[in-house]
Structures are given as C-alpha cells and as structure tokens.
Amino acid sequence: SRYSPKMPLAVDCMAKLIHCKVLKSSGRLKSHELILSYGLALVRFVNLITERKQKMVSIPLRQLAREVDIPVWVVDLRHELTYRKLPQLALCRKG
C-alpha cells in the first residue's frame, strides 16, 4: 500500500495504525519504540488531514482540526510528540 501514490488518505492512515498494533502484538519492540511508532502514525494523520484544509493563509492547527472533527486533545498529543517529551504509551494508543 505504501507504494501507491493514489492511496486514499484514510486507508494510508489506517494502515499505519494497523502496523503499530501488529508491532505491539509481536512483542519485539520496547515501549519507547512503540511510542515512536504510534506517534509517527498520529502526527502523520493530523498533518495530512489538516493539510488538505490549509489555505494560502496560515490557519491554526486547532481550528483546522475542529473543522474536520479531530478532538483538541489529539492535536495537543501531536504537539507533545512533535515538540516536547514523549507521552505515555497508553496515551499514544488512545490517540
């Protein structure tokens, strides 16, 4: 699926999340590696979904997320993953 440039965004994001679940169930990754995997999937999801709504003028990410019904706490989690310390695995999985 990752080689198809015409892959629908929802399918691509879901594939990333399923990949995280497979990695978790394999037991081969440590907690911080799972956090990074879930985090990457979440950041990619929020960025790609809101990117489509971005216009010529910069619009705050929170506003864009609200327009497509992404909860604010998911945007905050994305911010944590991108700019601050890594959150707990349970929070990443919830995201």
Side-chain angles (χ1 to χ4, degrees):
S1 70
R2 68 179 121 164
Y3 298 111
S4 174
K6 296 183 187 217
M7 175 69 58
L9 181 60
V11 173
D12 185 42
C13 290
M14 182 59 69
K16 300 276 188 270
L17 291 172
I18 291 171
H19 180 72
C20 290
K21 290 190 93 50
V22 169
L23 289 173
K24 181 185 180 302
S25 65
S26 75
R28 294 182 298 166
L29 294 182
K30 297 177 183 168
S31 179
H32 72 280
E33 293 170 319
L34 283 170
I35 290 170
L36 292 173
S37 292
Y38 275 106
L40 179 61
L42 184 108
V43 168
R44 182 170 166 73
F45 166 75
V46 172
N47 288 351
L48 289 175
I49 294 291
T50 57
E51 179 180 276
R52 291 185 173 182
K53 302 249 346 143
Q54 193 66 264
K55 311 288 187 236
M56 297 295 265
V57 179
S58 182
I59 301 171
L61 188 59
R62 283 173 168 251
Q63 180 181 338
L64 292 171
R66 269 193 300 271
E67 289 177 16
V68 292
D69 295 324
I70 297 174
V72 172
W73 71 266
V74 173
V75 176
D76 292 341
L77 178 58
R78 176 225 171 254
H79 190 78
E80 287 289 318
L81 286 157
T82 305
Y83 300 109
R84 296 199 172 103
K85 68 179 186 170
L86 295 177
Q88 297 292 319
L89 178 58
L91 187 56
C92 289
R93 289 183 64 214
K94 182 179 177 187

